[in-house]
Amino acid sequence: MFHAPNAFRRASLPSATREKEPRRQGMSTATAPPPSPVANRPPTATSAKKRDPYFDNIKYLAIVLVAVAHAWEPVMEGSRTARALYMVAYSFHMPAFILVSGYFSRSFDMSAPKVKRLVTGVAVPYIVFETAYSLFKRYAGDSPDQPISLTDPWFLTWFLVALFVWRITTPLWQALRHPLPVALVIAVLASFSPEIGNDLDLQRVLQFLPFFVLGLRLRPEHFQLVRRREVRMLSLPLFAGALACAYWAVPHMDTGWLYRSNSAPEMGAPWWMGAVTTPALFGIALLLTIGFLSWVPSRSTWFTVLGAGTICGYLLHGFLIKAAEYAGVFDTFAWLADPGGLVLVSLVAAGAVTLLCTPPVRRALRPVTEPDMDWAFRRAAPRT
């Protein structure tokens, strides 16, 4: 997401907006999914004010990983260890968010209320922040030629475009007999198709699609399985092995594969590399996501309340990172690339995104992230 690597400028992740989750027979309110902070309604009348802290904890911890990884981008060139940590984080934090987004999109059915929430909670924030980031780069970044294009997302906003496309196609995936294999085939085909271009960042939309579709297939009991103690214990050697492999891969692997923003030919690789790498990265990301989810606390913690404001942290933290880049902070203070500097950068990024997720910021940003647009939609006809 920094000026240096082009792929990072489109890098990303926000809060997963949620759709209404129906109450299932036999499901207790303790395990019922929580309402979304953006454009959602409660699962049931009896649990209207009940949120499952587990999912809010997932969202907060994932957004911290996103902000920290973004902050590492301009200062990790001199550290092989930092780049390895960056690669491990980028392998799963976006897939984890997308998977949870799919999980809370299971009931999307193109009904009028849900379409309205999709527009107000996803489309409107995209239009506002795509414009804001483009203007910010044009004037603060001294880039007078920076266009404002709603069809070519720049920087963080690509996820909102992707979420809109995935959510609106949910009825199709729910109707298919084997949706995940179909989604994987689509992702593989996209990975060696340079003709797709940059419109709506379709490369990312299609290559990340399997994680959203997998989320649509998950049920509460699946999350109970990954929270078992044995899964947590197995995740320790898993992450240790992933870090060791990433350390080895630093000089050999293009991190563009993790962004999914380009096809194999666009990265200078033969087309068949996309067919091999895409399923492999899906499997790696899924394993690391399971390991991450196994360690997320299921109880309420001091940061649980911040999970409701991760859309704000996601959309706003990019301005801070870009401001530091435009001001030359990372070039002026070269010692930030040292181990101590990397620790400082990580703490500042984590602290900043934490503040941006707080309730006051969420309330201030609500006219943009949760706008009241009753004036734009027809009233539902009363039932007879």
Side-chain angles (χ1 to χ4, degrees):
M1 292 172 50
F2 285 87
H3 189 66
N6 182 57
F8 181 72
R9 294 182 306 163
R10 298 174 175 274
S12 109
L13 170 222
S15 160
T17 56
R18 303 172 182 176
E19 285 302 318
K20 182 177 180 182
E21 175 62 22
R23 181 76 175 273
R24 284 182 166 75
Q25 185 177 4
M27 181 191 296
S28 68
T29 56
T31 59
S36 168
V38 181
N40 186 49
R41 295 297 182 267
T44 65
T46 59
S47 60
K49 296 183 179 180
K50 181 69 175 178
R51 295 179 68 95
D52 187 340
Y54 178 66
F55 291 99
D56 280 332
N57 293 340
I58 290 174
K59 292 167 58 183
Y60 168 75
L61 294 174
I63 201 65
V64 168
L65 282 175
V66 170
V68 170
H70 288 171
W72 284 343
E73 181 81 18
V75 295
M76 67 182 182
E77 292 302 325
S79 173
R80 185 170 180 174
T81 300
R83 181 169 284 275
L85 288 168
Y86 173 86
M87 291 175 66
V88 172
Y90 252 88
S91 295
F92 74 90
H93 69 51
M94 202 64 226
F97 240 119
I98 295 170
L99 184 145
V100 173
S101 299
Y103 176 72
F104 285 104
S105 297
R106 291 175 298 160
S107 63
F108 186 85
D109 57 7
M110 293 297 289
S111 63
K114 291 175 182 178
V115 169
K116 176 185 175 183
R117 290 196 293 272
L118 181 63
V119 171
T120 58
V122 179
V124 170
Y126 168 70
I127 294 171
V128 172
F129 279 91
E130 175 63 22
T131 302
Y133 271 112
S134 297
L135 292 175
F136 189 68
K137 182 181 181 182
R138 179 183 297 179
Y139 297 109
D142 194 22
S143 300
D145 296 331
Q146 173 64 33
I148 299 175
S149 174
L150 298 182
T151 61
D152 186 12
W154 182 76
F155 204 32
L156 298 171
T157 55
W158 73 267
F159 179 79
L160 297 177
V161 171
L163 184 60
F164 187 92
V165 174
W166 296 329
R167 177 76 52 76
I168 211 167
T169 59
T170 292
L172 169 64
W173 302 113
Q174 298 285 43
L176 291 178
R177 189 181 297 273
H178 303 293
L180 184 57
V182 173
L184 280 169
V185 169
I186 291 174
V188 169
L189 292 175
S191 71
F192 54 76
S193 302
E195 297 81 8
I196 291 178
N198 294 326
D199 288 346
L200 300 180
D201 227 347
L202 284 180
Q203 275 290 354
R204 272 193 172 131
V205 173
L206 298 179
Q207 290 195 43
F208 277 118
L209 174 64
F211 298 102
F212 182 83
V213 174
L214 177 60
L216 290 174
R217 309 301 295 173
L218 294 180
R219 297 295 180 265
E221 53 267 26
H222 295 130
F223 290 96
Q224 293 290 344
L225 288 174
V226 303
R227 288 150 67 179
R228 294 182 301 175
R229 184 178 183 276
E230 51 267 36
V231 177
R232 288 196 296 272
M233 294 301 100
L234 288 172
S235 71
L236 296 178
L238 171 67
F239 276 103
L243 183 58
C245 291
Y247 188 86
W248 171 85
V250 165
H252 307 290
M253 179 180 176
D254 186 343
T255 53
W257 289 106
L258 303 176
Y259 306 138
R260 275 95 162 177
S261 56
N262 293 297
S263 64
E266 288 172 320
M267 290 188 291
W271 68 269
W272 56 265
M273 281 292 293
V276 173
T277 305
T278 300
L281 288 178
F282 176 80
I284 293 170
L286 183 57
L287 288 175
L288 293 176
T289 296
I290 292 172
F292 167 70
L293 295 178
S294 71
W295 282 99
V296 174
S298 58
R299 66 186 185 281
S300 293
T301 67
W302 65 267
F303 56 79
T304 299
V305 67
L306 303 177
T310 48
I311 184 66
C312 302
Y314 174 75
L315 291 173
L316 293 176
H317 85 275
F319 286 109
L320 301 181
I321 294 175
K322 282 298 182 182
E325 177 191 345
Y326 297 153
V329 171
F330 302 111
D331 296 326
T332 302
F333 301 101
W335 56 269
L336 291 174
D338 298 335
L342 289 170
V343 172
L344 178 61
V345 166
S346 302
L347 293 175
V348 171
V353 78
T354 296
L355 292 175
L356 294 175
C357 292
T358 54
V361 176
R362 181 190 173 196
R363 287 193 294 269
L365 210 62
R366 184 168 290 153
V368 175
T369 58
E370 304 175 62
D372 182 2
M373 294 183 61
D374 289 342
W375 55 269
F377 294 88
R378 292 183 298 178
R379 291 181 179 273
R383 295 182 178 180
T384 57

